[in-house]
Amino acid sequence: KTLPENSVDAVITDPPYGCTAHEWDRLPTQQELDECRRISRGPVVFFGAAPARLLRGVLALEPAPDRVYVWHNTFTLTHSDGAFWQWQPIYVWGHLQGLKRDVITMAANTGGDEHCHPTQKPSALMRQLVSAAPEGTILDPFMGSGTTGVACVQTGRNFIGIEISEEYFRIAEKRIAEAQMQPRLI
C-alpha cells in the first residue's frame, strides 16, 4: 500500500488462487486487484486455476479482465479436486503486446528451472509475459520463489518483488542473483 499510484509499468504475478491444500492458498481479493491496478500504469496479469469454482471467483472481480490467455501445460503437477489440470487461465487487465496466440503451450518442466515452489511457473513462460509487458519496472506482489524476477533480469526489466514467506524470499533472492550472473536472454 505504500507504493505510489502508477509507480510501475506492469504487475505480473502468480497469486494464490485456491487450488492447493496449502494454508496460504486462497482466491485473490478485490482489494488485491484494486491495489495492483492502482500501482500499475500498464497491464495487470494474474494467473488462475482451471476448476470452474475458481474461474468464477476471479471472474467475479471488478472490472472483468480485458483478456484471458491460456497456459496449456503439457506436463502438469497441478492437482486439484482429484484431477490433474493441463491448463491455467492468465487474466489480463490492460493489454500485453506481442503475444501471438491466446494459448501458450509449454511444459511446466521446461528445463533449467530448479523446482523451488509448489505452484512455480516455468521461467520461459514468465519471460514471454514479461517481454509482452511495457519496458521498465515490473512488480510481482506474490513473488514466491522469484520466477518473475528471474524473467525480468533475463529480459532487461527492472523488478520489484514482495513475498510474505521469509523462506521463499531467500530462495527468490538467490535465484535472481544467480540470473544476474548469466547472459541476458531475449
PDB file of all heavy atoms in Angstrom, residues 49-75:
ATOM      1  N   ALA A  49      -6.628 -20.653 -11.853  1.00  0.00           N
ATOM      2  CA  ALA A  49      -6.698 -22.117 -11.876  1.00  0.00           C
ATOM      3  C   ALA A  49      -7.902 -22.569 -12.695  1.00  0.00           C
ATOM      4  O   ALA A  49      -8.879 -21.840 -12.852  1.00  0.00           O
ATOM      5  CB  ALA A  49      -6.794 -22.669 -10.460  1.00  0.00           C
ATOM      6  N   ALA A  50      -7.834 -23.794 -13.200  1.00  0.00           N
ATOM      7  CA  ALA A  50      -8.827 -24.319 -14.129  1.00  0.00           C
ATOM      8  C   ALA A  50     -10.181 -24.692 -13.532  1.00  0.00           C
ATOM      9  O   ALA A  50     -11.183 -24.555 -14.217  1.00  0.00           O
ATOM     10  CB  ALA A  50      -8.242 -25.529 -14.858  1.00  0.00           C
ATOM     11  N   PRO A  51     -10.281 -25.189 -12.300  1.00  0.00           N
ATOM     12  CA  PRO A  51     -11.604 -25.612 -11.825  1.00  0.00           C
ATOM     13  C   PRO A  51     -12.635 -24.485 -11.909  1.00  0.00           C
ATOM     14  O   PRO A  51     -12.342 -23.333 -11.591  1.00  0.00           O
ATOM     15  CB  PRO A  51     -11.354 -26.018 -10.367  1.00  0.00           C
ATOM     16  CG  PRO A  51      -9.907 -26.378 -10.324  1.00  0.00           C
ATOM     17  CD  PRO A  51      -9.237 -25.446 -11.303  1.00  0.00           C
ATOM     18  N   ALA A  52     -13.845 -24.812 -12.346  1.00  0.00           N
ATOM     19  CA  ALA A  52     -14.887 -23.809 -12.589  1.00  0.00           C
ATOM     20  C   ALA A  52     -15.154 -22.935 -11.365  1.00  0.00           C
ATOM     21  O   ALA A  52     -15.343 -21.727 -11.494  1.00  0.00           O
ATOM     22  CB  ALA A  52     -16.167 -24.490 -13.050  1.00  0.00           C
ATOM     23  N   ARG A  53     -15.148 -23.518 -10.180  1.00  0.00           N
ATOM     24  CA  ARG A  53     -15.426 -22.717  -8.983  1.00  0.00           C
ATOM     25  C   ARG A  53     -14.367 -21.643  -8.783  1.00  0.00           C
ATOM     26  O   ARG A  53     -14.648 -20.561  -8.285  1.00  0.00           O
ATOM     27  CB  ARG A  53     -15.528 -23.610  -7.743  1.00  0.00           C
ATOM     28  CG  ARG A  53     -14.232 -24.264  -7.336  1.00  0.00           C
ATOM     29  CD  ARG A  53     -14.371 -25.189  -6.115  1.00  0.00           C
ATOM     30  NE  ARG A  53     -13.198 -25.983  -5.934  1.00  0.00           N
ATOM     31  CZ  ARG A  53     -12.047 -25.542  -5.420  1.00  0.00           C
ATOM     32  NH1 ARG A  53     -11.941 -24.312  -4.999  1.00  0.00           N
ATOM     33  NH2 ARG A  53     -11.012 -26.347  -5.309  1.00  0.00           N
ATOM     34  N   LEU A  54     -13.141 -21.906  -9.216  1.00  0.00           N
ATOM     35  CA  LEU A  54     -12.061 -20.927  -9.077  1.00  0.00           C
ATOM     36  C   LEU A  54     -12.101 -19.905 -10.209  1.00  0.00           C
ATOM     37  O   LEU A  54     -11.784 -18.737  -9.999  1.00  0.00           O
ATOM     38  CB  LEU A  54     -10.714 -21.636  -9.021  1.00  0.00           C
ATOM     39  CG  LEU A  54     -10.590 -22.649  -7.871  1.00  0.00           C
ATOM     40  CD1 LEU A  54      -9.270 -23.390  -7.941  1.00  0.00           C
ATOM     41  CD2 LEU A  54     -10.769 -21.976  -6.533  1.00  0.00           C
ATOM     42  N   LEU A  55     -12.502 -20.332 -11.396  1.00  0.00           N
ATOM     43  CA  LEU A  55     -12.680 -19.389 -12.500  1.00  0.00           C
ATOM     44  C   LEU A  55     -13.738 -18.350 -12.128  1.00  0.00           C
ATOM     45  O   LEU A  55     -13.547 -17.152 -12.330  1.00  0.00           O
ATOM     46  CB  LEU A  55     -13.124 -20.120 -13.772  1.00  0.00           C
ATOM     47  CG  LEU A  55     -12.119 -21.051 -14.429  1.00  0.00           C
ATOM     48  CD1 LEU A  55     -12.809 -21.891 -15.495  1.00  0.00           C
ATOM     49  CD2 LEU A  55     -10.980 -20.259 -15.031  1.00  0.00           C
ATOM     50  N   ARG A  56     -14.840 -18.816 -11.575  1.00  0.00           N
ATOM     51  CA  ARG A  56     -15.929 -17.910 -11.187  1.00  0.00           C
ATOM     52  C   ARG A  56     -15.451 -16.899 -10.153  1.00  0.00           C
ATOM     53  O   ARG A  56     -15.844 -15.742 -10.187  1.00  0.00           O
ATOM     54  CB  ARG A  56     -17.116 -18.702 -10.635  1.00  0.00           C
ATOM     55  CG  ARG A  56     -17.946 -19.361 -11.709  1.00  0.00           C
ATOM     56  CD  ARG A  56     -19.245 -19.925 -11.141  1.00  0.00           C
ATOM     57  NE  ARG A  56     -19.062 -20.896 -10.079  1.00  0.00           N
ATOM     58  CZ  ARG A  56     -18.913 -22.207 -10.259  1.00  0.00           C
ATOM     59  NH1 ARG A  56     -18.938 -22.717 -11.457  1.00  0.00           N
ATOM     60  NH2 ARG A  56     -18.755 -23.007  -9.226  1.00  0.00           N
ATOM     61  N   GLY A  57     -14.594 -17.333  -9.235  1.00  0.00           N
ATOM     62  CA  GLY A  57     -14.106 -16.431  -8.193  1.00  0.00           C
ATOM     63  C   GLY A  57     -13.322 -15.269  -8.759  1.00  0.00           C
ATOM     64  O   GLY A  57     -13.521 -14.121  -8.372  1.00  0.00           O
ATOM     65  N   VAL A  58     -12.424 -15.527  -9.697  1.00  0.00           N
ATOM     66  CA  VAL A  58     -11.635 -14.449 -10.285  1.00  0.00           C
ATOM     67  C   VAL A  58     -12.495 -13.614 -11.232  1.00  0.00           C
ATOM     68  O   VAL A  58     -12.400 -12.388 -11.261  1.00  0.00           O
ATOM     69  CB  VAL A  58     -10.380 -14.999 -11.004  1.00  0.00           C
ATOM     70  CG1 VAL A  58      -9.651 -13.901 -11.757  1.00  0.00           C
ATOM     71  CG2 VAL A  58      -9.443 -15.651 -10.000  1.00  0.00           C
ATOM     72  N   LEU A  59     -13.367 -14.268 -11.996  1.00  0.00           N
ATOM     73  CA  LEU A  59     -14.207 -13.520 -12.937  1.00  0.00           C
ATOM     74  C   LEU A  59     -15.246 -12.659 -12.227  1.00  0.00           C
ATOM     75  O   LEU A  59     -15.846 -11.777 -12.835  1.00  0.00           O
ATOM     76  CB  LEU A  59     -14.859 -14.478 -13.932  1.00  0.00           C
ATOM     77  CG  LEU A  59     -13.862 -15.136 -14.897  1.00  0.00           C
ATOM     78  CD1 LEU A  59     -14.554 -16.173 -15.758  1.00  0.00           C
ATOM     79  CD2 LEU A  59     -13.147 -14.099 -15.750  1.00  0.00           C
ATOM     80  N   ALA A  60     -15.450 -12.882 -10.920  1.00  0.00           N
ATOM     81  CA  ALA A  60     -16.359 -12.037 -10.146  1.00  0.00           C
ATOM     82  C   ALA A  60     -15.702 -10.714  -9.740  1.00  0.00           C
ATOM     83  O   ALA A  60     -16.389  -9.785  -9.324  1.00  0.00           O
ATOM     84  CB  ALA A  60     -16.830 -12.783  -8.898  1.00  0.00           C
ATOM     85  N   LEU A  61     -14.383 -10.618  -9.878  1.00  0.00           N
ATOM     86  CA  LEU A  61     -13.690  -9.369  -9.559  1.00  0.00           C
ATOM     87  C   LEU A  61     -14.103  -8.289 -10.553  1.00  0.00           C
ATOM     88  O   LEU A  61     -14.400  -8.571 -11.715  1.00  0.00           O
ATOM     89  CB  LEU A  61     -12.173  -9.574  -9.599  1.00  0.00           C
ATOM     90  CG  LEU A  61     -11.592 -10.579  -8.603  1.00  0.00           C
ATOM     91  CD1 LEU A  61     -10.106 -10.787  -8.875  1.00  0.00           C
ATOM     92  CD2 LEU A  61     -11.826 -10.137  -7.178  1.00  0.00           C
ATOM     93  N   GLU A  62     -14.109  -7.047 -10.085  1.00  0.00           N
ATOM     94  CA  GLU A  62     -14.476  -5.909 -10.940  1.00  0.00           C
ATOM     95  C   GLU A  62     -13.284  -4.994 -11.142  1.00  0.00           C
ATOM     96  O   GLU A  62     -12.600  -4.692 -10.173  1.00  0.00           O
ATOM     97  CB  GLU A  62     -15.616  -5.127 -10.285  1.00  0.00           C
ATOM     98  CG  GLU A  62     -16.921  -5.889 -10.225  1.00  0.00           C
ATOM     99  CD  GLU A  62     -17.575  -6.052 -11.582  1.00  0.00           C
ATOM    100  OE1 GLU A  62     -17.296  -5.234 -12.491  1.00  0.00           O
ATOM    101  OE2 GLU A  62     -18.341  -7.003 -11.751  1.00  0.00           O
ATOM    102  N   PRO A  63     -13.038  -4.576 -12.350  1.00  0.00           N
ATOM    103  CA  PRO A  63     -13.734  -4.961 -13.559  1.00  0.00           C
ATOM    104  C   PRO A  63     -13.300  -6.354 -14.000  1.00  0.00           C
ATOM    105  O   PRO A  63     -12.299  -6.888 -13.519  1.00  0.00           O
ATOM    106  CB  PRO A  63     -13.285  -3.906 -14.575  1.00  0.00           C
ATOM    107  CG  PRO A  63     -11.901  -3.536 -14.132  1.00  0.00           C
ATOM    108  CD  PRO A  63     -11.940  -3.631 -12.625  1.00  0.00           C
ATOM    109  N   ALA A  64     -14.042  -6.903 -14.943  1.00  0.00           N
ATOM    110  CA  ALA A  64     -13.651  -8.194 -15.524  1.00  0.00           C
ATOM    111  C   ALA A  64     -12.334  -7.993 -16.286  1.00  0.00           C
ATOM    112  O   ALA A  64     -12.046  -6.886 -16.750  1.00  0.00           O
ATOM    113  CB  ALA A  64     -14.736  -8.689 -16.472  1.00  0.00           C
ATOM    114  N   PRO A  65     -11.535  -9.050 -16.415  1.00  0.00           N
ATOM    115  CA  PRO A  65     -10.294  -8.917 -17.185  1.00  0.00           C
ATOM    116  C   PRO A  65     -10.602  -8.504 -18.627  1.00  0.00           C
ATOM    117  O   PRO A  65     -11.644  -8.855 -19.181  1.00  0.00           O
ATOM    118  CB  PRO A  65      -9.675 -10.317 -17.146  1.00  0.00           C
ATOM    119  CG  PRO A  65     -10.478 -11.113 -16.206  1.00  0.00           C
ATOM    120  CD  PRO A  65     -11.740 -10.400 -15.909  1.00  0.00           C
ATOM    121  N   ASP A  66      -9.677  -7.777 -19.222  1.00  0.00           N
ATOM    122  CA  ASP A  66      -9.810  -7.387 -20.626  1.00  0.00           C
ATOM    123  C   ASP A  66      -9.543  -8.563 -21.558  1.00  0.00           C
ATOM    124  O   ASP A  66     -10.054  -8.604 -22.672  1.00  0.00           O
ATOM    125  CB  ASP A  66      -8.832  -6.251 -20.959  1.00  0.00           C
ATOM    126  CG  ASP A  66      -9.193  -4.981 -20.209  1.00  0.00           C
ATOM    127  OD1 ASP A  66     -10.318  -4.488 -20.398  1.00  0.00           O
ATOM    128  OD2 ASP A  66      -8.346  -4.503 -19.424  1.00  0.00           O
ATOM    129  N   ARG A  67      -8.737  -9.503 -21.089  1.00  0.00           N
ATOM    130  CA  ARG A  67      -8.387 -10.655 -21.911  1.00  0.00           C
ATOM    131  C   ARG A  67      -8.013 -11.809 -20.999  1.00  0.00           C
ATOM    132  O   ARG A  67      -7.504 -11.603 -19.901  1.00  0.00           O
ATOM    133  CB  ARG A  67      -7.198 -10.301 -22.799  1.00  0.00           C
ATOM    134  CG  ARG A  67      -6.848 -11.366 -23.789  1.00  0.00           C
ATOM    135  CD  ARG A  67      -6.471 -10.753 -25.080  1.00  0.00           C
ATOM    136  NE  ARG A  67      -6.312 -11.784 -26.083  1.00  0.00           N
ATOM    137  CZ  ARG A  67      -5.821 -11.558 -27.257  1.00  0.00           C
ATOM    138  NH1 ARG A  67      -5.437 -10.351 -27.590  1.00  0.00           N
ATOM    139  NH2 ARG A  67      -5.698 -12.528 -28.126  1.00  0.00           N
ATOM    140  N   VAL A  68      -8.247 -13.023 -21.482  1.00  0.00           N
ATOM    141  CA  VAL A  68      -7.828 -14.210 -20.757  1.00  0.00           C
ATOM    142  C   VAL A  68      -7.021 -15.065 -21.731  1.00  0.00           C
ATOM    143  O   VAL A  68      -7.532 -15.515 -22.758  1.00  0.00           O
ATOM    144  CB  VAL A  68      -9.023 -15.021 -20.202  1.00  0.00           C
ATOM    145  CG1 VAL A  68      -8.515 -16.259 -19.462  1.00  0.00           C
ATOM    146  CG2 VAL A  68      -9.887 -14.154 -19.289  1.00  0.00           C
ATOM    147  N   TYR A  69      -5.744 -15.246 -21.414  1.00  0.00           N
ATOM    148  CA  TYR A  69      -4.890 -16.168 -22.153  1.00  0.00           C
ATOM    149  C   TYR A  69      -4.956 -17.514 -21.446  1.00  0.00           C
ATOM    150  O   TYR A  69      -5.423 -17.612 -20.308  1.00  0.00           O
ATOM    151  CB  TYR A  69      -3.439 -15.675 -22.184  1.00  0.00           C
ATOM    152  CG  TYR A  69      -3.243 -14.440 -23.020  1.00  0.00           C
ATOM    153  CD1 TYR A  69      -3.340 -13.176 -22.446  1.00  0.00           C
ATOM    154  CD2 TYR A  69      -2.957 -14.525 -24.374  1.00  0.00           C
ATOM    155  CE1 TYR A  69      -3.161 -12.026 -23.201  1.00  0.00           C
ATOM    156  CE2 TYR A  69      -2.775 -13.383 -25.142  1.00  0.00           C
ATOM    157  CZ  TYR A  69      -2.884 -12.140 -24.553  1.00  0.00           C
ATOM    158  OH  TYR A  69      -2.715 -11.008 -25.301  1.00  0.00           O
ATOM    159  N   VAL A  70      -4.456 -18.539 -22.111  1.00  0.00           N
ATOM    160  CA  VAL A  70      -4.435 -19.875 -21.525  1.00  0.00           C
ATOM    161  C   VAL A  70      -3.012 -20.410 -21.605  1.00  0.00           C
ATOM    162  O   VAL A  70      -2.382 -20.372 -22.672  1.00  0.00           O
ATOM    163  CB  VAL A  70      -5.386 -20.835 -22.272  1.00  0.00           C
ATOM    164  CG1 VAL A  70      -5.187 -22.287 -21.819  1.00  0.00           C
ATOM    165  CG2 VAL A  70      -6.825 -20.406 -22.067  1.00  0.00           C
ATOM    166  N   TRP A  71      -2.513 -20.885 -20.461  1.00  0.00           N
ATOM    167  CA  TRP A  71      -1.258 -21.633 -20.465  1.00  0.00           C
ATOM    168  C   TRP A  71      -1.644 -23.096 -20.527  1.00  0.00           C
ATOM    169  O   TRP A  71      -2.263 -23.628 -19.606  1.00  0.00           O
ATOM    170  CB  TRP A  71      -0.430 -21.339 -19.219  1.00  0.00           C
ATOM    171  CG  TRP A  71       0.754 -22.269 -19.066  1.00  0.00           C
ATOM    172  CD1 TRP A  71       1.558 -22.752 -20.064  1.00  0.00           C
ATOM    173  CD2 TRP A  71       1.251 -22.828 -17.855  1.00  0.00           C
ATOM    174  NE1 TRP A  71       2.528 -23.570 -19.547  1.00  0.00           N
ATOM    175  CE2 TRP A  71       2.361 -23.637 -18.183  1.00  0.00           C
ATOM    176  CE3 TRP A  71       0.865 -22.718 -16.528  1.00  0.00           C
ATOM    177  CZ2 TRP A  71       3.081 -24.338 -17.227  1.00  0.00           C
ATOM    178  CZ3 TRP A  71       1.598 -23.415 -15.583  1.00  0.00           C
ATOM    179  CH2 TRP A  71       2.694 -24.210 -15.936  1.00  0.00           C
ATOM    180  N   HIS A  72      -1.322 -23.761 -21.650  1.00  0.00           N
ATOM    181  CA  HIS A  72      -1.531 -25.198 -21.800  1.00  0.00           C
ATOM    182  C   HIS A  72      -0.257 -25.883 -21.340  1.00  0.00           C
ATOM    183  O   HIS A  72       0.772 -25.837 -22.015  1.00  0.00           O
ATOM    184  CB  HIS A  72      -1.843 -25.543 -23.264  1.00  0.00           C
ATOM    185  CG  HIS A  72      -1.825 -27.014 -23.531  1.00  0.00           C
ATOM    186  ND1 HIS A  72      -1.301 -27.550 -24.671  1.00  0.00           N
ATOM    187  CD2 HIS A  72      -2.266 -28.054 -22.791  1.00  0.00           C
ATOM    188  CE1 HIS A  72      -1.401 -28.872 -24.634  1.00  0.00           C
ATOM    189  NE2 HIS A  72      -1.978 -29.188 -23.490  1.00  0.00           N
ATOM    190  N   ASN A  73      -0.340 -26.481 -20.166  1.00  0.00           N
ATOM    191  CA  ASN A  73       0.793 -27.159 -19.554  1.00  0.00           C
ATOM    192  C   ASN A  73       0.794 -28.600 -20.048  1.00  0.00           C
ATOM    193  O   ASN A  73      -0.070 -29.388 -19.693  1.00  0.00           O
ATOM    194  CB  ASN A  73       0.635 -27.100 -18.031  1.00  0.00           C
ATOM    195  CG  ASN A  73       1.760 -27.763 -17.295  1.00  0.00           C
ATOM    196  OD1 ASN A  73       2.660 -28.345 -17.898  1.00  0.00           O
ATOM    197  ND2 ASN A  73       1.711 -27.686 -15.988  1.00  0.00           N
ATOM    198  N   THR A  74       1.768 -28.937 -20.885  1.00  0.00           N
ATOM    199  CA  THR A  74       1.795 -30.273 -21.471  1.00  0.00           C
ATOM    200  C   THR A  74       2.256 -31.349 -20.491  1.00  0.00           C
ATOM    201  O   THR A  74       2.132 -32.525 -20.772  1.00  0.00           O
ATOM    202  CB  THR A  74       2.697 -30.298 -22.721  1.00  0.00           C
ATOM    203  OG1 THR A  74       4.006 -29.835 -22.357  1.00  0.00           O
ATOM    204  CG2 THR A  74       2.117 -29.413 -23.809  1.00  0.00           C
ATOM    205  N   PHE A  75       2.787 -30.936 -19.369  1.00  0.00           N
ATOM    206  CA  PHE A  75       3.086 -31.878 -18.298  1.00  0.00           C
ATOM    207  C   PHE A  75       2.781 -31.174 -17.002  1.00  0.00           C
ATOM    208  O   PHE A  75       3.372 -30.162 -16.689  1.00  0.00           O
ATOM    209  CB  PHE A  75       4.551 -32.316 -18.298  1.00  0.00           C
ATOM    210  CG  PHE A  75       4.880 -33.217 -17.144  1.00  0.00           C
ATOM    211  CD1 PHE A  75       4.509 -34.552 -17.152  1.00  0.00           C
ATOM    212  CD2 PHE A  75       5.528 -32.731 -16.028  1.00  0.00           C
ATOM    213  CE1 PHE A  75       4.796 -35.374 -16.086  1.00  0.00           C
ATOM    214  CE2 PHE A  75       5.820 -33.552 -14.945  1.00  0.00           C
ATOM    215  CZ  PHE A  75       5.453 -34.868 -14.977  1.00  0.00           C
TER     216      PHE A  75
END
